[in-house]
C-alpha cells in the first residue's frame, strides 16, 4: 500500500455524529485553484490585479510568499481583497512549497523568468511528489535547473531573466498541474510555448480548462483546439480584477453530509457560469441519491434518505475521490471508482491510505491500480490517520456522520485549504455556531 508515514504534529479530533438531518447554508472560502492561478497571472501581468474572495489557507499563502520572494508585491492582509502588483523578478530567493502541488509546479516556470538563483523545497512528503516531467520540460525550454535528488525537491532554478520558450513534449499523466504551470508563465517566454502531451490521459481536465480560461481572461492567446496540444503565444498579460468562486472540492464533504443524513446543504455565492466541474459533481451526487439545484440562493444539495453506490471514472474530478469513497461506504450497494491512479502521488498515496484506514474501521475495500472497489458493511469507530492530507480528513468526517467514535489523528491538516473546516463542520452537524 505504499509509504504512508505521517510526520506532522498530531492533534486528535473526534468527528461529530449526526443525530438529525443537517440543514445548513454555508459560505465557503474561495477556490484554491482559482486563487493560485490568479496570483501567478497577477505577478506576471503588466499592471496591478485584485482578487475578490480569495482563499486564505496554507497553500495560497505559500504561493503568495513564493512570488513575493521573487519580487512581486503582494498585499494579502485583507481577507476579502488581495492586491498583486507585478515587479521585476529577481533572486536570490527561497520558495517553501509546503505540500502544495500548485506551488511546486506553478512557481518554477516563473522562477525561470527571474534574474538570479531561486531555490525550492517543502515538507518531507513533498519530496516524493512527481516533478521530473516539469524539470525536463523547463530544461528543454532553456531553463537551467539543478536537482539534488531524482528529479524531485529540493531543486534550484538559475534564472537569467528570460526563457526562450518553444515546443516541448511532456508526459503529464501524473498531474494536469505539470501542463498548467508551463502555460501560466508561457506568455512571458520569448517564443511562448507549444506543449504536447504524450502518454496516458491527462487527469483533472477541468483544471486545465480553468487555466486556459483564466489565461484568455488576462489577454493571452491560447489555442487548445488540438487534443493534448496547448499553444500559448508570447505577449503581455493584463492586470485585472478576479472574482474567486467558492471552492467546489472543499464543498463536497458538506454536500455529502446532506446525502448521509437526508438533509439539505446550500453553498451561497455560487455563480451560474463556473470554471469548476459543477455539472460533473451534480451528475455524481444525483446518481448517489441526491437532488442538486442551482438558484439565486446558491448551489443546494438535498438528501433523499438513501445513498446509492455507483460505478464511475473519476479521472476528471479526482479530488473528490476521498469524500465519495466515504459516501460509498454508507451506500445501499457496492461502488467502483476508477481513473485515479495519479492520486497515489498526491499529498499521500490516497488510494492506499483510504483502503488502509477504512479497512481498520471494518470496511470492505479493495485497491486496484487506479481506484477502489467498495462493498458497504457496518463500520466501527477508531483512530483514522490523515497523513497530513486534508482530503483524508474530509473523508473521515463524512464517515463520522453515521459512525460514532471516528477519531482523526490530525484535523489541523485541513488548514492546507480550509482552516475553518473543523468549526464549520461541527456547526453544521450540531446546528450550533
Amino acid at each position: 500500500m505504499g509509504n504512508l508515514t505521517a510526520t506532522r504534529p498530531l492533534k486528535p479530533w473526534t468527528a461529530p455524529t449526526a443525530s438529525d438531518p443537517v440543514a445548513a447554508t454555508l459560505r465557503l472560502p474561495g477556490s484554491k485553484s482559482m486563487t493560485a492561478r490568479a496570483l501567478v497571472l497577477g505577478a506576471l501581468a503588466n499592471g496591478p490585479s485584485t482578487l475578490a474572495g480569495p482563499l486564505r489557507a496554507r497553500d495560497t499563502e505559500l504561493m503568495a510568499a513564493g512570488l513575493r520572494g521573487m519580487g512581486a508585491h503582494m498585499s494579502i492582509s485583507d481577507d476579502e481583497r488581495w492586491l498583486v502588483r507585478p515587479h521585476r523578478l529577481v533572486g536570490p530567493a527561497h520558495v517553501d512549497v509546503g505540500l502544495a502541488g500548485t506551488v511546486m509546479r506553478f512557481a518554477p516556470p516563473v522562477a525561470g523568468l527571474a534574474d538570479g538563483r531561486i531555490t525550492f523545497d517543502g515538507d518531507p512528503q513533498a519530496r516524493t511528489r512527481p516533478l521530473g516531467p516539469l524539470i525536463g520540460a523547463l530544461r528543454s525550454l532553456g531553463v537551467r535547473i539543478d536537482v539534488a535528488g531524482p528529479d524531485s525537491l529540493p531543486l534550484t532554478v538559475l534564472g537569467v531573466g528570460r526563457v526562450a520558450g518553444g515546443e516541448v513534449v511532456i508526459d503529464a499523466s501524473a498531474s494536469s498541474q505539470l501542463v498548467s504551470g508551463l502555460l501560466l508563465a508561457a506568455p512571458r517566454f520569448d517564443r511562448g510555448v507549444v506543449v504536447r502531451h504524450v502518454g496516458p490521459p491527462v487527469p483533472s481536465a477541468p483544471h486545465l480548462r480553468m487555466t486556459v480560461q483564466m489565461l484568455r481572461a488576462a489577454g493571452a492567446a491560447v489555442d487548445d483546439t488540438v487534443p493534448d496540444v496547448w499553444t500559448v503565444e508570447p505577449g503581455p498579460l493584463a492586470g485585472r480584477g478576479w472574482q474567486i468562486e467558492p471552492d467546489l472540492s472543499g464543498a463536497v464533504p458538506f454536500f455529502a453530509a446532506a446525502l448521509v443524513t437526508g438533509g439539505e446543504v446550500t453553498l451561497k455565492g455560487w455563480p451560474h457560469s463556473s470554471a469548476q466541474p459543477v455539472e460533473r459533481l451534480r451528475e455524481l451526487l444525483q446518481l448517489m441519491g441526491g437532488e442538486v439545484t442551482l438558484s439565486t440562493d446558491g448551489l443546494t444539495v438535498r438528501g433523499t434518505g438513501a445513498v446509492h453506490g455507483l460505478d464511475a471514472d473519476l479521472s476528471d474530478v479526482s479530488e473528490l475521490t476521498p469524500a465519495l469513497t466515504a459516501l460509498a461506504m454508507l451506500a445501499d450497494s457496492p461502488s467502483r471508482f476508477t481513473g485515479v491512479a495519479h492520486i497515489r502521488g498526491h499529498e499521500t498515496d490516497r488510494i492506499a491510505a483510504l483502503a488502509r484506514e477504512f479497512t481498520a474501521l471494518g470496511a470492505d475495500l479493495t485497491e486496484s491500480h487506479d481506484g477502489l472497489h467498495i462493498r458497504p458493511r457496518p463500520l466501527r469507530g477508531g483512530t483514522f490517520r490523515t497523513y497530513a492530507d486534508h482530503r483524508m480528513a474530509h473523508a473521515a468526517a463524512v464517515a463520522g456522520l453515521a459512525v460514532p467514535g471516528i477519531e482523526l489523528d490530525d484535523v489541523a491538516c485541513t488548514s492546507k485549504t480550509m482552516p475553518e473546516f473543523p468549526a464549520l463542520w461541527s456547526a453544521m452537524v450540531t446546528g450550533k455556531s
Side-chain angles (χ1 to χ4, degrees), residues 238-302:
R240 53 156 292 162
W242 297 100
Q243 181 65 50
I244 306 300
E245 300 175 6
D247 193 285
L248 188 65
S249 296
V252 170
F254 296 90
F255 291 152
L259 272 68
V260 171
T261 68
E264 179 175 315
V265 173
T266 297
L267 175 58
K268 294 179 66 175
W270 189 259
H272 278 267
S273 178
S274 173
Q276 300 177 83
V278 64
E279 288 306 317
R280 178 60 171 150
L281 175 62
R282 181 200 299 262
E283 175 189 12
L284 291 167
L285 292 180
Q286 287 177 338
L287 288 170
M288 297 192 81
E291 297 175 352
V292 185
T293 57
L294 178 61
S295 68
T296 55
D297 294 331
L299 188 63
T300 298
V301 176
R302 297 179 184 86

Side-chain angles (χ1 to χ4, degrees), residues 180 204-214 224 230 275 277 316:
S180 287
S204 304
H207 285 97
L208 272 174
R209 290 196 292 271
M210 178 188 292
T211 298
V212 171
Q213 290 173 18
M214 293 183 70
D224 62 347
W230 299 266
D316 54 347

Side-chain angles (χ1 to χ4, degrees), residues 303-326:
T304 58
V307 180
H308 309 308
L310 80 163
D311 191 326
D313 181 337
L314 301 181
S315 58
D316 54 347
V317 287
S318 59
E319 286 287 316
L320 312 187
T321 304
L324 293 182
T325 296

Side-chain angles (χ1 to χ4, degrees), residues 43-129:
L44 298 177
N46 57 8
S49 296
T50 58
L51 283 67
L55 170 67
R56 178 180 296 281
R58 187 183 186 222
D59 280 15
T60 54
E61 289 183 330
L62 286 171
M63 179 70 83
L67 295 169
R68 182 188 291 119
M70 287 187 265
H73 294 173
M74 299 274 166
S75 176
I76 64 170
S77 58
D78 184 341
D79 285 345
E80 299 301 319
R81 185 176 181 272
W82 290 1
L83 175 65
V84 183
R85 293 186 184 276
H87 196 266
R88 180 170 173 261
L89 300 174
V90 295
H94 176 72
V95 177
D96 177 4
V97 310
L99 195 50
T102 47
V103 182
M104 70 179 69
R105 294 174 183 134
F106 293 1
V110 176
L113 294 163
D115 187 2
R117 180 186 183 93
I118 313 295
T119 60
F120 291 82
D121 203 357
D123 295 356
Q125 300 98 318
R127 295 185 175 188
T128 67
R129 301 192 70 175

